[in-house]
Amino acid sequence: MTTHKLLLLPGDGIGVEIMREVERIIAILNGKGGANSFETESDLVGGAAIDAHGVAISEGAMEKAGIADAIIFGAVGGPKWDDVPYEIRPEAGLLRLRKDYDLFANLRPAICYPALADASSLKKELVEGLDILILRELTSGTYFGEPKEIVTLENGEKRGVDTTVYTTSEIERIVKVGCDLARKRSGKMHMAAKWNVMKTGVLWRDVTVATHKAYAPDVELELILADNCAMQLIRNPKQFDVVITDNLFGDVLSDEAAMMTGSLGMLPSASLGPPDPKTGRPKALYEPVHGSAPDITGKGLANPIAMIASFAMALRYSFDMTKEADIIEQAIATVLGNGLRTADIMQNGLEKVGTEDMGKAIAAEIEQALG
Ligand code: IPM
Ligand code: MG
């Protein structure tokens, strides 16, 4: 039997509530006594860590993250920390995890479950059967480029600066991940950038074309301007399969893709680093794409599906537990098919449930399928 170490970082707001539903599933998997079992540790991140330690992630939590086989992350932030200095803000904890562990490949699959085709803000026929994967570069670009500052000019005016930086190798490695994923899917990949305006966009285009030619000429590659991509996603989303893009465009395009699936509460993500030289496995963090949702925190209303689906991605990408990952994803589809809905995906005539009841229903399906 293999025991995997998980670090659970629920964070703030609804992160805490939805993480409980993942713990419920972990307990079921452990109870079945299969070939894999899980050992969990928890720690604070985001505003909760600021309250306890004065920083958005403590050195102790970073160390635990370093030895964990996978990090399961909830959400960070909330109005309570709106006035803390920029350097300390809750998001800094997440950004440090991404940067220090080099989690450069962020997979954000947007799948429209058949039962939710009506819940999308787009027409049903546009999203029914939708299955796209936004692959976002996560450790460089505008998020981390220097200088990043607000300076006061001689005339007293202020000037804010963010810097978008990419190097050849940073683009190359994400393009290769995109090609690998495209090969396992429909064999089609788009690359979205702004080579008509940005120098980093020119580099993204040139490096993508060269890497694709040398590494995966069998993959069908299309270059698309990022603004056009945003438009095409709304016009005809099913033309896309894998879409690779930079850190900032990826942040925006993945929220857009998420909404097509019915709700931001549905979209999971995996953030993967380079393979570890010893184990061959990438360092990995799994998190829902949605945030901490302060407006509904503590009310038991949050949709736990993106969090649970993120855990399924952990089983798939970190532990090769394909069967269990399939079972979890199927359990989500079944429960939705049975008409259970949290408030964010509620439709007329269906059964409205809270976080815990949704989690329990999915857990029951998993338990049954595991036999
Ligand atoms: C995301 C989030 C984060 C980001 C925030 C919380 C820093 O929006 O993961 O998409 O901007 O990357
Ligand atoms: Mg975002």
Side-chain angles (χ1 to χ4, degrees), residues 98 108 136 143 250-252 254-255 264 289-290:
R98 289 175 180 172
R108 301 191 155 188
R136 168 187 177 193
Y143 275 58
D251 182 45
V252 176
S254 62
D255 266 31
L264 202 49
V289 169
H290 63 71

Side-chain angles (χ1 to χ4, degrees), residues 73 75-77 89-92 94-95 98 106 108 136 138 143 247-248 250-252 254-255 269 271 287-292:
F73 191 98
V76 288
R89 73 200 191 289
E91 290 78 4
L94 175 59
L95 296 177
R98 289 175 180 172
N106 183 219
R108 301 191 155 188
R136 168 187 177 193
L138 202 60
Y143 275 58
N247 204 343
L248 186 56
D251 182 45
V252 176
S254 62
D255 266 31
S269 86
S271 305
E287 59 170 322
V289 169
H290 63 71
S292 59

Side-chain angles (χ1 to χ4, degrees), residues 16-324:
V16 178
E17 300 158 48
I18 57 180
M19 189 64 80
R20 279 190 214 121
E21 302 315 315
V22 166
E23 293 187 75
R24 194 187 300 285
I25 294 170
I26 294 172
I28 291 173
L29 293 174
N30 279 345
K32 293 289 172 192
N36 296 277
S37 73
F38 297 96
E39 215 175 79
T40 61
E41 271 210 83
S42 294
D43 214 313
L44 304 173
V45 68
I50 294 175
D51 289 349
H53 308 296
V55 285
I57 188 156
S58 67
E59 295 309 316
M62 283 301 290
E63 264 169 45
K64 284 184 197 168
I67 55 169
D69 296 314
I71 304 159
I72 313 292
F73 191 98
V76 288
K80 183 175 174 198
W81 303 282
D82 275 353
D83 296 328
V84 303
Y86 179 85
E87 280 63 33
I88 300 180
R89 73 200 191 289
E91 290 78 4
L94 175 59
L95 296 177
R96 181 167 173 207
L97 281 163
R98 289 175 180 172
K99 189 71 183 172
D100 284 16
Y101 291 116
D102 201 18
L103 306 171
F104 71 96
N106 183 219
L107 285 62
R108 301 191 155 188
I111 293 167
C112 184
Y113 288 91
L116 285 190
D118 281 322
S120 171
S121 35
L122 295 189
K123 288 193 202 94
K124 183 174 177 163
E125 57 272 23
L126 285 184
V127 295
E128 210 166 27
L130 181 76
D131 180 0
I132 61 185
L133 179 67
I134 308 275
L135 179 61
R136 168 187 177 193
E137 197 293 326
L138 202 60
T139 50
S140 189
T142 320
Y143 275 58
F144 297 100
E146 295 287 347
K148 192 177 197 62
E149 62 190 8
I150 298 176
V151 291
T152 306
L153 302 177
E154 269 171 23
N155 66 3
E157 212 188 356
K158 288 191 171 164
R159 189 171 69 146
V161 183
D162 289 291
T163 308
T164 306
V165 188
Y166 272 103
T167 60
T168 308
S169 56
E170 285 172 337
I171 301 169
E172 238 168 44
R173 66 178 183 172
I174 192 81
V175 172
K176 286 183 179 169
V177 174
C179 291
D180 291 343
L181 290 166
R183 274 185 175 142
K184 287 189 199 155
R185 296 167 55 98
S186 74
K188 188 170 163 192
M189 178 172 93
H190 283 79
M191 190 286 288
K194 285 284 290 179
W195 60 83
N196 54 349
V197 178
M198 297 168 75
K199 286 290 180 182
T200 49
V202 172
L203 193 67
W204 265 84
R205 182 193 60 193
D206 294 350
V207 174
T208 301
V209 168
T211 308
H212 164 258
K213 192 169 166 210
Y215 182 75
D218 52 304
V219 168
E220 188 190 326
L221 171 68
E222 263 190 62
L223 306 176
I224 186 165
L225 290 168
D227 53 342
N228 185 28
C229 183
M231 183 274 277
Q232 295 291 341
L233 272 171
I234 297 289
R235 194 182 74 86
N236 175 19
K238 283 190 243 171
Q239 70 184 288
F240 295 103
D241 187 359
V242 175
V243 180
I244 58 169
T245 188
D246 81 1
N247 204 343
L248 186 56
F249 294 138
D251 182 45
V252 176
L253 293 176
S254 62
D255 266 31
E256 189 188 1
M259 207 47 222
M260 291 168 193
T261 68
S263 159
L264 202 49
M266 298 297 300
L267 206 74
S269 86
S271 305
L272 309 177
D276 181 288
K278 270 189 259 151
T279 62
R281 293 200 171 283
K283 187 97 221 149
L285 179 149
Y286 300 88
E287 59 170 322
V289 169
H290 63 71
S292 59
D295 52 323
I296 57 163
T297 295
K299 296 184 179 158
L301 295 174
N303 183 350
I305 291 179
M307 183 80 252
I308 293 172
S310 298
F311 180 63
M313 288 187 89
L315 300 186
R316 193 180 296 287
Y317 290 101
S318 284
F319 307 124
D320 286 331
M321 295 173 68
T322 314
K323 179 186 142 212
E324 290 82 355

